[in-house]
Amino acid sequence: MSIYLKVRAVDRVFYQLEKELGSFQKSTGLGCVVNCGNCCLKPDINATALEFLPLAYHLLKDGKAEEWLQLLQNNTSTTLCPVLNTVIAPGAKGFCSEYAYRGLICRLFGFSAMLHKNNTPTLVTCKPIKEQKPQAVAAAEIHIASKNNYPLISNYYMQLRSIDESLGAELFPIRIAIAKALEVVLGYYAYRRPPRLKKVA
């Protein structure tokens, strides 16, 4: 499967997830705390290279992939996500400078469930949401316990893995996952005609 087709396949998984997340959030009232971004500051968040393939492909089309890879390889003094803005820009959805191309973990965190003992689904959310939105958290827990539709982390990672077993299985710190995605995209197009660069207005 070509990189382009893999990117499209990942995008389809993300599109389905956004629909399920939207329904889940609408039913429960669960949502991020305004101007929080604490999850983006955690240095121990792990991800697969595959979930950042769309970001790497987007950067390639923008002519920025090599520059980003060099920055990631050369700047080892920080563990923070490289797409993190420390200040929210006017009109931005959050601290992510590449929000449309964020990874699967970024989409799931705070609004999903994971299976615990006896395959019991349990809400996965963060401390700020628990503290500032307890009613929404309670509603989400009831919603999940009632076996209504909700995003299950393992389901989405299995879907990703079915696209590319090698890129979708191993977890890395986000900076390394993005660097690996960039290496895959740049390596693939090293001897192939790259996609057209986006025109800058």
Side-chain angles (χ1 to χ4, degrees):
M1 188 187 296
S2 70
I3 289 292
Y4 172 74
L5 290 177
K6 287 179 187 178
V7 168
R8 291 290 303 275
V10 173
D11 283 341
R12 284 193 294 271
V13 172
F14 287 171
Y15 176 75
Q16 180 57 40
L17 173 58
E18 291 304 313
K19 284 172 59 179
E20 193 168 27
L21 279 171
S23 174
F24 181 59
Q25 289 177 287
K26 187 177 179 180
S27 299
T28 62
L30 202 63
C32 283
V33 174
V34 176
N35 296 338
C36 176
N38 283 359
C39 56
C40 302
L41 297 170
K42 287 178 66 65
D44 57 346
I45 299 290
N46 291 328
T48 65
L50 186 58
E51 62 197 271
F52 285 104
L53 210 61
L55 171 63
Y57 187 78
H58 160 71
L59 292 171
L60 180 75
K61 289 186 73 173
D62 274 358
K64 298 177 182 175
E66 289 183 12
E67 174 190 345
W68 270 63
L69 183 57
Q70 283 182 347
L71 284 171
L72 286 166
Q73 289 173 337
N74 295 335
N75 185 7
T76 57
S77 61
T78 179
T79 55
L80 291 177
C81 178
V83 296
L84 176 67
N85 282 326
T86 52
V87 177
I88 297 181
K93 290 191 175 182
F95 287 91
C96 185
S97 65
E98 298 291 345
Y99 189 80
Y101 302 100
R102 66 200 188 283
L104 180 60
I105 188 61
C106 312
R107 296 165 191 266
L108 285 167
F109 194 77
F111 315 110
S112 56
M114 66 186 302
L115 296 178
H116 281 286
K117 293 177 182 176
N118 303 321
N119 285 332
T120 304
T122 305
L123 177 68
V124 177
T125 194
C126 63
K127 188 177 178 182
I129 290 176
K130 286 177 182 174
E131 290 178 347
Q132 297 187 41
K133 300 192 174 187
Q135 290 179 322
V137 169
E141 288 171 340
I142 292 168
H143 185 91
I144 290 169
S146 302
K147 304 286 193 271
N148 288 309
N149 288 339
Y150 53 86
L152 186 63
I153 292 173
S154 56
N155 282 354
Y156 281 97
Y157 273 101
M158 281 173 58
Q159 287 180 53
L160 273 193
R161 198 175 297 178
S162 71
I163 296 167
D164 187 311
E165 178 71 31
S166 61
L167 292 177
E170 194 171 356
L171 293 169
F172 305 95
I174 280 186
R175 291 180 66 84
I176 296 173
I178 293 174
K180 287 187 177 293
L182 285 164
E183 287 170 355
V184 167
V185 169
L186 286 167
Y188 182 84
Y189 285 108
Y191 301 103
R192 294 175 177 86
R193 180 180 294 179
R196 274 189 213 166
L197 294 179
K198 290 180 184 173
K199 290 182 180 178
V200 179

